[in-house]
Structures are given as structure tokens and as C-alpha cells.
């Protein structure tokens, strides 16, 4: 796939760092490596009612395939941890038990031994159900003696990929966590359109895997949570709004229990990061409002409100299922920029963000209605409408993607006809059978 080659290219420098750390660490004994990692502290974020415990690990197994880092194009939860992860990969290969112990020690170094639990505790890596990242030894270390917390949190949340969810894995998890625990399994849907998910986000997840995952999670008595992006990298505001609405209504029809909506943020080693770095002043993309200088690669906050509003108007029962994350750049493990309107410091950004936070808590659509009614008076909204008009000229979704892909290919692979042909072929054959 074109996108796979592109993401591999983006991650080249990080791959180098990861492999160097791995090779260097392989020279040490497992005990020496454990000693080295036993001082690590887990990254840990506190939200109201929920703590996010980002367990250290060897990294996302999906990202590291065939000896290179690639993974989902919009995701960069890893680049800043590449060295530590390369080294943990070496420890895991040498001694999975000490790898598991290093993970638990990092948790305890941050939270203390027998931590005070919050209501919800997200205890996760990248793909928790993948044995490459979390072999059995990790579960044994974390859960066998019930010693992570003083008492139990109300609910555990674990994150994984839909492709890793099956009854065998979930039952194994259940046997480790104990039968009576409430658990939510959270996984990335990102977008309901399978072609975009795979050919532009490089997710490598089929609709069928999502449908099966939800059913499987329910069979074992757990809750299913899907992550959905608001603002697909490079796509127009209107395209993104429609995709979000289609995605969450589809997920609702599958019986998903919760949806975490994530307004796209911009990190360095991502598709949107590359667009910003290389194409923010690109004349062809500026003409159609895709390149927007400083704003390139980020949706507008008006889009976030509109996407949520339209989804909940279409299906009012969605209001109680939808949560909003990534409204602040500080509660994130990797340096990032978050979405805004005309300028970052405009009053409307603050107003909308705090209203969205209110909505996240109260789940009351009138909060979104009031917000929308206030837009007409806002100078930024006029600019937004002009942008929407300009973006009308970018064509349909495969045409928009092709437009961006061609400009990127010119920079990354100048004169390479094969890669352009591959992109063109994929964009001309946007597959049938997708849900939206
Ligand atoms: S989104 Fe998830 S599966 Fe994809 S690269 Fe990031 S951590 Fe891995
Ligand atoms: Zn404004």
C-alpha cells in the first residue's frame, strides 16, 4: 500500500533509534537490563474519575513488523520512548519474566505499592492482548496477587487492537483478572469506512474484525469501547464530519457500549505531522483549503462541534455513549498540537473547549445547540465558512487523498513513477463493501 510505504518512511529515523537501542541492549545480560529498567517510572495521567496508566513495554507490536516501525498513520504514541522500548524488546527476548517484572516495577515506582485506585483505571500498553507486547508473564506479575491496588477500582479499561480480540484471549484475560471484575475493552475503530481506515490510516483492520470484536467482548460479559477520530488527516472538514457521523451511527447499531471521540491532534511522526512539515505552504493544496499554513493537518474546533451535534441529532441515544478526549495537549504522552479555530488564542477556542468538557460530563445536547447558535456571531466562523467553500473543490475522498499523496510523493520519492501508479490504482479502486 502507498500509505504503508509513506509511514515506513516517516518512521525511518525512529526505527534507527529503536534498533540501535535494541542491538546495544542485547549486549547486556537480562539481569543487567532489568537493573537498568527497574528505576523507570510509568507515565501516568489523571483525569476526573479515571487514571491512565501507560505501562512501559517493547512498543506496539503492530507498529514493529518486518524489522521496521510503521503502524497507523495518524498515531505517534511512541517516538519519544523509542530508546527505552528498543531496550525492553531486548529484555523481553532474553527473559520474559524479568521483562514483566520491569513493567510492574515501573507501575509501582509511579503509583506506589498498593496504590489508591480511582473509579476507572486504564492499565494498558498499546495492544494489551497481543502476547508479543504482554506475554502471560506480564499478566501474572500484574494481577496474580492482587497487589497493584489497595482494594479494587470500579472498572478496569484495557486497550488493544480489534484484530487481537477473540474469545480465547478474552477468557485468558478473565482468568487472570478474576471473574467478577468489570472490564472495558477499548480498541481503535478510527473510521467506519474500511478503505479509508486501511488505505489512508494504515490501520489494517477490516469491518468484520470490528463487528466480531464487539460480539466477542459482549459474549464474555465485558463492555466494548471504540475510539473514533474527528478529523481524518488531510480530508476536508465536511468529509470528516460525515465520516464521524457515519462511523458512530454504525458503531451504535453494532451495540457498542462507549465511544471515545478523539479530535485529531498533530504529532511529529504522523501523516498530519508530515503534511504540516512538508506541505503547509503547498500552492496546489492551498488552493483547495487542504494546506492551511500553521493549521495544516488539524481539524477546526467548529468541525468537532458539528460532528458531535450531527451524530447525536441523528441518534439521540448516542449522547450517553460519546466521550470526548484530547481536548488538551498536556494530557498526552507525546508532544502534540490540538485543534483550534482561526487562531489558537481566540476566545472562541476557550469557550468551545470548556463547553465540550461540560458536554463530556453532562451528555446534554442543548450544550452543543447553544454553542452552535453562538457561532454566527463569531468572526472565526466566517473564516471557517470560507474555508468550507474552498474545500468543496478538492473532489471526493479518493480524489482528495490522491491530491495529497501526489504532493507528498513528489517530495519523498521524486521521479518515482511506480509509487504514483500505486497511489492512483488504490484511489481509483476504492473498494466496495465498506459500511459507509
Ligand atoms: S493506533 Fe494503536 S495499533 Fe495503531 S500504531 Fe498506534 S498503538 Fe499501534
Ligand atoms: Zn474565534
Amino acid at each position: 500500500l502507498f500509505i504503508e510505504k509513506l509511514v515506513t518512511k516517516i518512521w525511518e529515523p525512529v526505527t534507527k533509534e529503536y534498533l540501535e537501542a535494541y542491538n546495544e541492549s542485547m549486549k547486556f545480560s537480562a539481569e543487567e537490563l532489568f537493573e537498568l529498567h527497574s528505576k523507570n517510572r510509568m507515565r501516568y495521567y489523571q483525569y476526573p474519575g479515571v487514571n491512565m496508566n501507560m505501562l512501559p513495554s517493547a512498543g506496539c507490536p503492530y507498529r514493529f513488523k518486518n524489522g521496521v516501525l510503521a503502524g497507523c498513520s495518524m498515531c505517534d504514541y511512541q517516538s519519544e520512548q523509542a530508546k527505552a522500548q528498543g531496550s525492553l524488546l531486548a529484555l523481553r527476548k532474553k527473559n520474559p519474566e524479568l521483562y514483566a517484572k520491569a513493567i510492574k516495577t515501573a507501575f509501582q515506582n509511579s503509583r506506589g505499592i498498593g496504590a489508591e485506585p480511582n473509579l476507572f483505571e486504564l492499565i494498558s500498553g498499546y495492544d494489551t492482548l497481543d502476547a508479543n507486547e504482554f506475554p502471560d508473564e506480564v499478566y501474572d506479575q500484574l494481577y496474580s496477587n492482587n497487589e497493584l491496588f489497595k482494594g479494587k477500582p470500579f472498572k478496569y479499561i484495557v486497550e488493544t487492537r480489534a484484530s487481537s480480540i477473540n474469545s480465547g484471549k478474552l477468557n485468558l484475560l478473565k482468568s487472570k483478572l478474576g471473574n467478577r471484575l468489570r472490564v472495558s475493552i477499548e480498541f481503535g475503530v478510527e473510521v467506519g469506512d474500511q478503505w479509508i481506515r486501511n488505505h489512508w490510516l494504515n490501520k489494517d483492520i477490516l469491518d468484520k474484525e470490528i463487528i466480531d470484536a464487539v460480539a466477542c467482548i459482549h459474549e464474555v460479559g465485558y463492555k466494548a469501547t471504540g475510539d473514533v477520530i474527528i478529523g481524518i488527516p488531510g480530508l476536508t472538514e465536511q468529509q470528516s464530519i460525515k465520516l464521524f457521523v457515519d462511523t458512530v451511527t454504525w458503531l451504535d447499531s453494532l451495540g457498542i457500549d462507549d465511544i471515545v471521540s478523539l479530535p485529531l491532534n498533530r504529532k511529529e511522526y504522523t501523516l498530519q505531522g508530515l503534511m504540516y512539515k512538508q506541505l503547509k505552504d503547498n500552492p496546489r493544496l492551498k488552493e483547495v483549503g487542504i494546506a492551511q499554513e500553521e493549521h495544516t493537518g488539524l481539524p477546526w474546533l467548529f468541525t468537532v462541534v458539528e460532528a458531535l451535534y450531527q451524530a447525536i441529532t441523528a441518534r439521540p441515544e448516542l449522547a450517553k455513549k460519546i466521550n470526548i478526549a484530547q481536548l488538551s495537549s498536556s494530557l498526552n504522552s507525546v508532544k502534540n498540537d490540538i485543534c483550534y479555530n482561526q487562531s489558537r488564542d481566540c476566545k472562541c477556542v476557550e469557550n468551545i473547549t470548556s463547553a465540550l468538557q461540560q458536554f463530556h460530563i453532562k451528555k446534554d445536547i442543548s450544550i452543543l445547540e447553544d454553542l452552535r447558535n453562538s457561532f454566527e456571531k463569531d468572526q472565526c466562523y466566517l473564516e471557517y465558512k470560507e474555508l468550507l467553500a474552498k474545500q468543496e473543490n478538492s473532489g471526493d475522498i479518493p480524489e482528495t487523498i490522491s491530491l495529497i499523496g501526489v504532493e507528498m510523493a513528489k517530495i519523498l520519492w521524486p521521479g518515482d513513477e511506480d509509487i504514483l501508479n500505486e497511489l492512483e490504482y488504490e484511489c481509483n479502486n476504492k473498494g466496495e463493501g465498506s459500511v459507509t
Side-chain angles (χ1 to χ4, degrees):
L1 301 184
F2 172 83
I3 193 65
E4 203 176 343
K5 295 195 173 82
L6 190 111
V7 183
T8 307
K9 188 95 183 163
I10 296 177
W11 280 75
E12 250 170 26
V14 192
T15 297
K16 191 164 167 279
E17 210 186 330
Y18 184 73
L19 290 178
E20 273 170 11
Y22 169 75
N23 290 327
E24 194 48 39
S25 295
M26 285 303 277
K27 296 179 191 155
F28 292 85
S29 72
E31 289 70 23
E32 284 167 328
L33 286 177
F34 173 75
E35 182 58 29
L36 211 71
H37 285 282
S38 65
K39 319 262 180 322
N40 287 351
R41 292 169 70 88
M42 168 191 73
R43 289 166 301 126
Y44 152 55
Y45 304 89
Q46 287 175 283
Y47 296 84
V50 49
N51 287 355
M52 294 181 67
N53 307 281
M54 312 306 286
L55 296 170
S57 78
C60 170
Y62 171 63
R63 190 185 291 288
F64 187 57
K65 275 187 313 195
N66 311 321
V68 291
L69 296 170
C72 307
S73 65
M74 73 300 165
C75 165
D76 172 7
Y77 273 116
Q78 270 184 270
S79 59
E80 289 172 8
Q81 279 89 44
K83 271 197 188 130
Q85 293 183 352
S87 178
L88 279 169
L89 179 66
L91 179 56
R92 197 206 73 206
K93 291 222 167 151
K94 282 175 183 275
N95 187 327
E97 247 172 60
L98 285 180
Y99 170 77
K101 213 169 148 197
I103 292 174
K104 180 184 181 177
T105 308
F107 179 95
Q108 291 177 329
N109 288 346
S110 285
R111 300 277 312 255
I113 293 174
E116 198 64 57
N118 205 337
L119 213 50
F120 295 85
E121 291 282 351
L122 180 142
I123 305 181
S124 213
Y126 300 93
D127 190 359
T128 311
L129 296 182
D130 187 308
N132 284 312
E133 189 182 1
F134 288 145
D136 274 9
E137 287 86 347
V138 174
Y139 287 102
D140 290 340
Q141 274 293 335
L142 291 178
Y143 303 116
S144 57
N145 299 322
N146 265 331
E147 51 187 32
L148 282 191
F149 297 105
K150 222 188 276 163
K152 280 184 189 159
F154 178 73
K155 192 188 251 185
Y156 276 104
I157 305 166
V158 299
E159 291 172 306
T160 192
R161 279 171 54 82
S163 51
S164 304
I165 297 169
N166 56 59
S167 31
K169 270 284 169 189
L170 290 177
N171 282 319
L172 186 73
L173 179 70
K174 204 167 194 177
S175 71
K176 305 280 182 191
L177 289 180
N179 251 337
R180 288 179 27 239
L181 261 188
R182 290 183 194 82
V183 177
S184 256
I185 306 286
E186 181 172 342
F187 57 95
V189 173
E190 322 303 355
V191 62
D193 185 306
Q194 175 169 285
W195 185 88
I196 300 173
R197 190 186 313 123
N198 296 327
H199 290 256
W200 194 232
L201 299 183
N202 200 33
K203 187 89 199 168
D204 198 15
I205 295 283
L206 300 173
D207 291 346
K208 186 174 179 324
E209 291 176 290
I210 292 169
I211 296 167
D212 292 348
V214 174
C216 213
I217 291 167
H218 286 160
E219 256 165 49
V220 299
Y222 287 171
K223 300 280 187 205
T225 302
D227 294 346
V228 179
I229 298 174
I230 306 181
I232 304 296
L235 296 194
T236 70
E237 309 296 313
Q238 297 284 24
Q239 288 165 348
S240 286
I241 291 169
K242 179 163 185 341
L243 286 168
F244 178 80
V245 175
D246 290 346
T247 304
V248 294
T249 47
W250 174 56
L251 289 175
D252 191 39
S253 73
L254 297 181
I256 200 120
D257 301 286
D258 284 297
I259 291 166
V260 178
S261 55
L262 298 132
L264 188 73
N265 62 15
R266 194 175 63 204
K267 296 174 180 167
E268 187 177 356
Y269 293 97
T270 57
L271 178 56
Q272 61 276 28
L274 184 73
M275 285 187 62
Y276 172 65
K277 200 162 151 196
Q278 301 282 10
L279 301 173
K280 70 174 187 301
D281 299 309
N282 179 288
R284 177 72 191 100
L285 295 178
K286 263 184 138 175
E287 246 172 53
V288 293
I290 301 294
Q292 307 167 52
E293 299 172 3
E294 182 57 30
H295 212 300
T296 306
L298 287 175
W300 284 51
L301 260 178
F302 293 128
T303 294
V304 175
V305 176
E306 193 58 27
L308 291 164
Y309 176 79
Q310 286 190 20
I312 294 164
T313 313
R315 284 206 180 213
E317 66 272 26
L318 272 171
K320 54 183 183 314
K321 292 190 179 181
I322 292 186
N323 303 287
I324 314 172
Q326 286 186 176
L327 288 173
S328 148
S329 61
S330 61
L331 292 167
N332 203 299
S333 57
V334 170
K335 188 174 167 299
N336 69 94
D337 285 309
I338 53 169
C339 62
Y340 57 96
N341 285 329
Q342 174 59 16
S343 70
R344 286 195 172 89
D345 45 19
C346 184
K347 190 81 185 131
C348 70
V349 173
E350 203 185 309
N351 290 346
I352 296 177
T353 307
S354 81
L356 289 175
Q357 273 153 354
Q358 280 300 308
F359 173 77
H360 173 79
I361 297 164
K362 296 190 175 149
K363 318 278 188 203
D364 177 358
I365 191 169
S366 70
I367 295 173
L368 301 178
E369 269 161 2
D370 293 348
L371 255 186
R372 280 177 90 243
N373 293 336
S374 70
F375 287 169
E376 296 294 342
K377 291 180 233 114
D378 194 320
Q379 179 60 28
C380 290
Y381 196 65
L382 296 178
E383 310 258 3
Y384 177 69
K385 283 191 151 171
E386 275 172 31
L387 176 73
L388 297 189
K390 228 191 222 181
Q391 289 184 338
E392 290 285 316
N393 300 316
S394 73
D396 62 14
I397 289 175
E399 283 164 343
T400 310
I401 287 177
S402 163
L403 208 63
I404 302 165
V406 167
E407 297 304 314
M408 280 190 165
K410 277 189 207 161
I411 295 169
L412 298 179
W413 300 283
D416 187 335
E417 286 296 319
D418 290 347
I419 201 128
L420 287 175
N421 290 338
E422 187 175 9
L423 172 70
E424 195 188 317
Y425 177 82
E426 288 179 50
C427 289
N428 287 339
N429 292 280
K430 184 174 182 311
E432 295 303 313
S434 200
V435 290
T436 52

